[in-house]
Amino acid sequence: MARQGNAAIIEQFIADGIPYMFGNPGTVEQGFLDALENYDELQYVLTLQETVAAGIADGYARATGRPALLQLHSGVGLGNAVGMLYQAKRGHSPLVVIAGEAGVKYDAMDAQMAADLVAMAEPVTKYATRVTDPGSVLRVLRRAMKTAMTPPRGPVFVALPLDVLDAVNGEPVVPSTFLSTESLPVPSLVERAARLLSGAEHPLVLVGDGVSASGGQEELARVAEQLGADVWGVDFSEVNLDARHPLYRGQLGHMFGEVSTEKVKDADAVLIVGTYVFPEVFPNTGSPFRADARIVHIDLDGYEIAKNHPVTLGLVADPKATLAALSEKLEDSLSDVDRLRAARHLELRRGEQPERPADDGTLLSAFLRELADRAPEDLMVFDEALTAAGPLNAHLPGRLPGHWFSTRGGSLGVGIPGAIGIKLAHPDKTVIGFTGDGGSMYTFQALYTAVRHDVGAKFVICNNRSYKLLDLNIEQYWRERGVPLHSHPSPFDLSRPELGFTELARGFGVDAVRVDEAEQVPYAVKRMLADDKPFLVDLRTVEGA
């Protein structure tokens, strides 16, 4: 039983079924990285920078619903990863983040690379701690695993000093305990929720990723159909409802509160499930709801219920189980008038659905149409396309649970590493990561990891030669303040110098093609899907670029 902590932690990770350690190596982690060479069950996935490692871990955790192990190098590595850890925290990704440090015995020296790692990690993690006792290493790691996986899920951080891991460790290895959180409110509260939602003339459903985390997509669809309620995505980055469902209206804005206000202001009954309201950068600080609106909020995260706006009834409970129970109670509480109105509204929405997305004549639409025709039904997509997300979601909407993911939290650069993480989780699937020219350059070196570890994800750069989202946002800023439209600020422009994505990709060993004209689209799509190797498409989405 007695062995160094360096070996003990690896045995613990293996006992918890962790197949990969994503990271970038450093001197203060050398003890356990050296020990890792003796274990075949845990593979080290090498990245060239910590942001990439965190992005791949985030994609892997989201695609599996299991904890992902992320190794960072001391304070400098943690600093590099902070932006992506913020993304993981906002998106509730269960990451177990470890970082080495020189040792407890050096605390008083204020030496090179010394930093308070716990204080650095706390703002971007769910829980952060440091192990100082060689006899408590595995206990703390099991606590970290449990905490990461307990809703609301999120990244946790454990600092592992080198001298603590070098010491003899006699702790037994036992699998971590993951808690069951499938829970229902008492029946009287479910009945009350059904009564509050019944009889509405303008019902509305607002949903977020808590639905996906609970596997409650079918139950959500059933309740929405019973109510005849339009469904809007709020904190929505996974498949919480089939995007082709006639009642799904799309996502509310993530930037400006007036977008959400316009959509919810007429609703007399609102069901909020698995999200908080509202996550815009510039939210409406007043209530966007009608004063007499009856609001029912269901979430396992009690902090998010009524966080910003009062609700009539808040239920801290599992979305899937609660929606199923609510559906049963609605059968009793809905009147014949309610059922007729719901059926008519559902039929109206069905009639509005186009058979095929409109052809707007752009190169982007031509590419997406060709890809939609050729791609397998179970295509997995990571969407960091931002300003190209509208056409992307029209042609390749998220339909299958666990097969569509989008960026969350505002951290750029997750598209390429996120796709790599998803492909590692599902090696038999076709996985494509969409990103922009600006976002891709945060983590372009992730292509190295795809080649080194033979991860056949595909990548599409929607290249508009700018930070286009900033162009759109500043135009909104000008309109709000009555500023006449004028040239966008020069820092938003990425056309000088020209970014040679195909050349950069080939430098990492990834085959690539540039698409400038519609005639090139069929070949590019066919070539991208021809094998299970990494491939990149530089898709020029601006004429004359």
Side-chain angles (χ1 to χ4, degrees):
M1 178 67 69
R3 70 287 199 217
Q4 277 191 325
N6 291 307
I9 67 170
I10 296 167
E11 293 170 6
Q12 181 64 51
F13 295 140
I14 292 171
D16 284 328
I18 303 295
Y20 300 110
M21 180 187 293
F22 306 101
N24 181 260
T27 303
V28 293
E29 296 84 22
Q30 59 192 356
F32 69 79
L33 293 178
D34 186 36
L36 184 59
E37 295 294 302
N38 298 318
Y39 297 85
D40 295 331
E41 302 95 324
L42 180 58
Q43 179 185 356
Y44 191 88
V45 176
L46 176 65
T47 69
L48 300 182
Q49 205 259 9
E50 289 86 356
T51 305
V52 173
I56 295 176
D58 180 75
Y60 182 85
R62 294 178 67 181
T64 60
R66 296 273 304 164
L69 177 60
L70 172 62
Q71 173 263 319
L72 304 175
H73 171 47
S74 193
V76 290
L78 174 58
N80 285 338
V82 160
M84 202 62 76
L85 289 178
Y86 176 80
Q87 157 112 353
K89 183 182 181 184
R90 299 296 294 196
H92 305 301
S93 291
L95 307 186
V96 174
V97 187
I98 60 173
E101 57 173 67
V104 174
K105 68 180 179 180
Y106 301 116
D107 276 3
M109 302 302 294
D110 192 24
Q112 176 78 354
M113 292 197 298
D116 187 342
L117 301 186
V118 173
M120 289 178 65
E122 281 179 335
V124 292
T125 58
K126 181 181 175 184
Y127 169 72
T129 191
R130 180 183 188 228
V131 181
T132 57
D133 175 28
S136 297
V137 177
L138 303 192
R139 177 181 293 110
V140 171
L141 288 177
R142 287 192 291 270
R143 183 182 305 157
M145 288 280 178
K146 182 196 75 167
T147 303
M149 287 293 291
T150 302
R153 295 177 178 179
V156 299
F157 174 81
V158 180
L160 297 171
L162 185 147
D163 54 2
V164 172
L165 294 187
D166 281 347
V168 173
N169 185 292
E171 292 179 276
V173 173
V174 294
S176 297
T177 300
F178 298 142
L179 306 184
S180 172
T181 56
E182 296 179 8
S183 57
L184 270 172
V186 296
S188 62
L189 291 179
V190 180
E191 291 177 6
R192 184 183 173 201
R195 291 195 302 270
L196 287 169
L197 296 169
S198 298
E201 295 184 3
H202 303 288
L204 192 68
V205 178
L206 304 175
V207 301
D209 289 338
V211 173
S212 174
S214 73
Q217 293 93 340
E218 290 185 9
E219 290 79 5
L220 173 68
R222 188 181 312 127
V223 168
E225 290 170 7
Q226 287 175 291
L227 295 173
D230 287 338
V231 179
W232 287 94
V234 185
D235 194 19
F236 192 106
S237 63
E238 298 185 6
V239 177
N240 300 291
L241 182 68
D242 183 343
R244 290 274 173 87
H245 191 287
L247 292 176
Y248 180 62
R249 309 303 292 162
Q251 296 193 44
L252 299 179
H254 72 282
M255 288 299 299
F256 303 105
E258 58 263 31
V259 176
S260 297
T261 299
E262 180 62 28
K263 303 301 182 186
V264 309
K265 63 183 178 63
D266 295 326
D268 54 353
V270 181
L271 173 62
I272 307 170
V273 190
T275 183
Y276 71 101
V277 289
F278 288 94
E280 297 100 349
V281 176
F282 303 105
N284 183 347
T285 56
S287 176
F289 299 107
R290 277 173 46 169
D292 63 343
R294 306 183 300 277
I295 303 174
V296 176
H297 195 159
I298 302 167
D299 203 326
L300 267 174
D301 186 357
Y303 172 73
E304 300 294 3
I305 298 175
K307 179 175 75 174
N308 293 324
H309 307 293
V311 301
T312 312
L313 177 63
L315 303 175
V316 181
D318 177 65
K320 178 182 174 70
T322 306
L323 287 168
L326 177 61
S327 177
E328 291 183 8
K329 296 301 180 183
L330 285 172
E331 288 297 322
D332 299 327
S333 63
L334 290 170
S335 68
D336 290 340
V337 173
D338 292 334
R339 298 175 200 279
L340 180 60
R341 188 205 58 77
R344 287 176 174 171
H345 187 71
L346 180 60
E347 193 60 30
L348 171 67
R349 292 304 191 204
R350 282 200 180 106
E352 294 173 346
Q353 285 191 303
E355 292 185 8
R356 191 174 175 86
D359 183 0
D360 61 7
T362 64
L363 182 61
L364 175 61
S365 288
F367 180 86
L368 294 171
R369 187 181 308 108
E370 182 77 15
L371 179 57
D373 288 342
R374 289 181 175 269
E377 289 291 325
D378 61 351
L379 173 71
M380 300 188 76
V381 169
F382 196 106
D383 170 19
E384 195 199 13
L386 299 181
T387 54
L392 173 60
N393 292 326
H395 290 274
L396 294 170
R399 306 202 65 188
L400 298 176
H403 284 68
W404 177 89
F405 306 88
S406 72
T407 182
R408 53 193 183 183
S411 303
L412 285 180
V414 71
I416 293 177
I420 294 172
I422 293 169
K423 180 66 174 176
L424 276 168
H426 298 282
D428 296 331
K429 300 274 190 176
T430 300
V431 179
I432 303 178
F434 290 84
T435 185
D437 46 331
S440 71
M441 291 307 297
Y442 283 70
T443 53
F444 204 81
Q445 65 269 46
L447 296 182
Y448 171 90
T449 301
V451 173
R452 180 183 177 98
H453 294 280
D454 195 24
V455 182
K458 316 297 181 180
F459 315 99
V460 178
I461 311 292
C462 298
N463 186 355
N464 55 30
R465 307 171 82 212
S466 69
Y467 291 120
K468 190 64 176 178
L469 185 62
L470 297 183
D471 290 346
L472 300 176
N473 288 345
I474 201 166
E475 289 173 7
Q476 173 79 5
Y477 175 87
W478 291 336
R479 284 191 294 271
E480 289 178 351
R481 289 155 178 79
V483 177
L485 293 179
H486 53 278
S487 298
H488 299 122
S490 59
F492 298 0
D493 171 59
L494 295 178
S495 65
R496 299 175 292 111
E498 188 81 15
L499 290 169
F501 289 108
T502 56
E503 293 84 358
L504 288 169
R506 290 170 187 145
F508 286 110
V510 173
D511 198 5
V513 63
R514 170 172 161 168
V515 176
D516 296 280
E517 299 174 355
E519 291 75 14
Q520 299 170 309
V521 165
Y523 168 78
V525 172
K526 182 179 179 181
R527 174 65 190 85
M528 181 170 65
L529 300 177
D531 56 36
D532 197 33
K533 296 180 179 180
F535 189 82
L536 182 139
V537 176
D538 177 8
L539 181 64
R540 300 303 179 103
T541 59
V542 176
E543 290 185 18

